[in-house]
Amino acid sequence: GAVVSQHPSWVICKSGTSVKIECRSLDFQATTMFWYRQFPKQSLMLMATSNEGSKATYEQGVEKDKFLINHASLTLSTLTVTSAHPEDSSFYICSALKGTRSTDTQYFGPGTRLTVL
Amino acid sequence: KQEVTQIPAALSVPEGENLVLNCSFTDSAIYNLQWFRQDPGKGLTSLLLIQSSQREQTSGRLNASLDKSSGRSTLYIAASQPGDSATYLCAVNEGGATNKLIFGTGTLLAVQP
């Protein structure tokens, strides 16, 4: 199997606080993980590519100082939304690449619903 | 810049109908294309993956085709059921060193019992 988990599944926080979201590959090692954001009734937008042991690669328009990504092990990547504001409220989904080739499959987590009050 | 579009944005059909969802992409240099299903408030379930060298893939009542040169893919669902109601997303893999998936805009499907 290829199972990816996310924690928490939902979180509500006050404006100005920081929130950490975890993404774990449960039964395989993932050198590369991806973080996506999905606004209501919209598609997934790639935020950043997380590589184990190195700095994340951010997509254009994504603030690296606001969305901190750490990929400290082959089974865990974390996304920290710093000084969250209501406009950061969204559905955050991670995926983990099983393999290292371009044709390998990404396995997706169940998502984390973030609501910033 | 790769852009992926899905038509229609929403579709409602009676149970038992066969239906086709469309996906188009602007850059034909892709490694593969994948179809996903997303239930409300949930993550993604991979349905079918077509490699760039393939023309189609089948799984049960689902059949996906790929015409890379014209930048199009279709997802055919046979004998639709209410349980098929969900949002269907296609995504192209640009490959290379990044393995990035570019997602389409999605089709919201409702199958009426």
Side-chain angles (χ1 to χ4, degrees):
Chain A
V3 181
V4 177
S5 70
Q6 281 184 242
H7 179 79
S9 55
W10 59 270
V11 56
I12 301 173
C13 68
K14 292 182 179 180
S15 185
T17 61
S18 294
V19 176
K20 179 185 285 189
I21 303 170
E22 295 184 346
C23 177
R24 293 182 185 273
S25 55
L26 299 184
D27 51 1
F28 66 98
Q29 293 185 329
T31 305
T32 303
M33 292 184 175
F34 302 87
W35 286 96
Y36 297 84
R37 180 168 52 183
Q38 185 178 34
F39 291 108
K41 298 187 178 181
Q42 295 187 23
S43 192
L44 278 74
M45 298 297 294
L46 179 65
M47 298 175 66
T49 302
S50 169
N51 297 297
E52 188 268 337
S54 64
K55 291 182 179 180
T57 302
Y58 290 81
E59 294 300 301
Q60 191 173 7
V62 178
E63 300 175 57
K64 63 178 68 175
D65 294 331
K66 181 168 185 63
F67 298 99
L68 301 180
I69 292 172
N70 184 280
H71 194 155
S73 79
L74 288 172
T75 59
L76 173 65
S77 175
T78 60
L79 168 68
T80 301
V81 183
T82 62
S83 187
H85 291 286
E87 58 265 30
D88 299 322
S89 298
S90 187
F91 193 54
Y92 292 86
I93 302 179
C94 73
S95 70
L97 184 66
K98 187 175 183 182
T100 58
R101 300 171 301 176
S102 299
T103 51
D104 288 326
T105 301
Q106 292 182 33
Y107 292 89
F108 286 79
T112 296
R113 172 77 58 193
L114 170 64
T115 301
V116 185
L117 301 176
Chain B
K1 179 186 173 185
Q2 179 76 266
E3 291 184 5
V4 184
T5 306
Q6 290 184 244
I7 295 174
L11 180 64
S12 180
V13 299
E15 181 177 4
E17 270 202 11
N18 303 325
L19 57 99
V20 175
L21 307 181
N22 298 290
C23 171
S24 61
F25 46 96
T26 55
D27 187 343
S28 61
I30 65 171
Y31 272 74
N32 59 48
L33 183 145
Q34 204 162 357
W35 283 92
F36 295 89
R37 169 187 172 134
Q38 185 177 31
D39 292 291
K42 303 293 185 182
L44 303 182
T45 300
S46 179
L47 299 174
L48 290 165
L49 184 150
I50 311 176
Q51 301 294 351
S52 62
S53 58
Q54 297 175 321
R55 298 283 294 183
E56 65 178 330
Q57 282 285 341
T58 298
S59 175
R61 294 182 295 108
L62 306 179
N63 176 278
S65 68
L66 175 64
D67 184 343
K68 204 173 90 163
S69 60
S70 67
R72 290 189 292 187
S73 176
T74 61
L75 178 67
Y76 175 83
I77 303 177
S80 58
Q81 304 171 355
D84 295 330
S85 299
T87 295
Y88 289 81
L89 296 163
C90 69
V92 299
N93 184 334
E94 298 192 312
T98 62
N99 203 300
K100 290 201 294 189
L101 290 182
I102 308 298
F103 280 84
T105 46
T107 294
L108 176 61
L109 173 65
V111 181
Q112 308 299 331

